[in-house]
């Protein structure tokens, strides 16, 4: 029995240490790029239209503005998200960078991942073509998170992002 208790103590100490130790960067959860037949300005209009995220991001069911201020740094939204087996939850999304027509960043208070999303829009190889790169990082940096939750989240969010960017491409083409 003493050996079992000692083993449990060792495991708990290791888990606690991995929880306290952190990597010195924000781990990448997902990254995808899509090329669209639209100018940077037209692409940015759709990407920055946060209240309509539910039209092209599959797990978002509704987005509400939290105030009547103009879209820009500090603007907040209440995002309703549906997760299989869990149901619907609400999270706060805050715009942290607003640089039309090239960049948009926002943070969400989804506790499991604490995601930071960075969207960059660049000129494509041809006139009237944009290249949209969507990166999602986690502000969680513990070794425990990086070794357990991150690989699963990376798999799920990469697939979700791939579908979302396909629907975004369609949304942009329909908005022209």
């Amino acid at each position: 029995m003493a050996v079992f208790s000692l083993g449990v103590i060792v495991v708990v100490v290791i888990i606690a240490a991995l929880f306290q130790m952190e990597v010195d960067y924000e781990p990448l959860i997902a990254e995808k790029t899509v090329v669209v037949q639209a100018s940077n300005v037209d692409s940015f209009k759709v990407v920055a239209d946060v209240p309509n995220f539910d039209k092209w991001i599959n797990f978002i069911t509704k987005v509400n503005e939290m105030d009547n201020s103009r879209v820009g740094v500090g603007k907040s939204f209440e995002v309703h998200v549906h997760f299989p087996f869990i149901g619907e939850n609400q999270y706060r999304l805050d715009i942290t960078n607003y640089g039309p027509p090239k960049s948009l960043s926002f943070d969400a208070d989804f506790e499991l991942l604490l995601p930071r999303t960075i969207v960059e829009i660049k000129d494509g190889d041809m006139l009237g073509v944009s290249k949209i790169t969507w990166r999602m990082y986690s502000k969680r940096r513990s070794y425990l998170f990086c070794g357990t939750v991150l690989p699963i989240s990376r798999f799920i969010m990469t697939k979700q992002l791939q579908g979302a960017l396909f629907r975004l491409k369609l949304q942009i083409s329909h908005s022209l």
Side-chain angles (χ1 to χ4, degrees), residues 8 10 12-13 26 28 35 55 67 75 87 90 102 116 119 130 145 152 172:
V8 170
V10 168
V12 169
V13 167
E26 289 186 348
L28 181 67
V35 176
K55 290 183 177 168
D67 57 48
K75 176 78 174 173
Q90 293 116 21
K102 300 282 187 183
R116 168 171 287 142
V119 183
S130 298
F145 170 82
I152 296 164
I172 290 171

Side-chain angles (χ1 to χ4, degrees), residues 55-121:
K55 290 183 177 168
W56 54 275
I57 299 178
N58 206 29
F59 53 86
I60 294 179
T61 58
K62 182 170 64 168
V63 179
N64 298 320
E65 294 185 42
M66 295 184 74
D67 57 48
N68 293 326
S69 65
R70 295 185 63 195
V71 176
V73 174
K75 176 78 174 173
S76 296
F77 299 88
E78 178 185 64
V79 179
H80 296 252
V81 179
H82 179 78
F83 294 110
F85 309 111
I86 298 173
E88 181 134 341
N89 290 308
Q90 293 116 21
Y91 302 100
R92 181 183 174 117
L93 184 145
D94 297 314
I95 295 179
T96 57
N97 175 38
Y98 187 78
K102 300 282 187 183
S103 64
L104 174 73
S105 301
F106 50 87
D107 292 348
D109 70 351
F110 176 46
E111 277 298 315
L112 181 64
L113 298 177
L114 290 178
R116 168 171 287 142
T117 301
I118 299 170
V119 183
E120 294 177 332
I121 302 173

Side-chain angles (χ1 to χ4, degrees), residues 142-160:
S142 77
Y143 281 103
L144 184 63
F145 170 82
C146 291
T148 56
V149 176
L150 184 61
I152 296 164
S153 299
R154 188 173 283 149
F155 176 77
I156 293 168
M157 294 309 296
T158 298
K159 296 297 181 191
Q160 289 289 331

Side-chain angles (χ1 to χ4, degrees), residues 8 29 36 44 49 51 54 64 71 77 87 96 101 123 132:
V8 170
I29 299 170
V36 297
F44 187 84
D49 186 12
D54 61 328
N64 298 320
V71 176
F77 299 88
T96 57
D123 294 327
I132 303 169

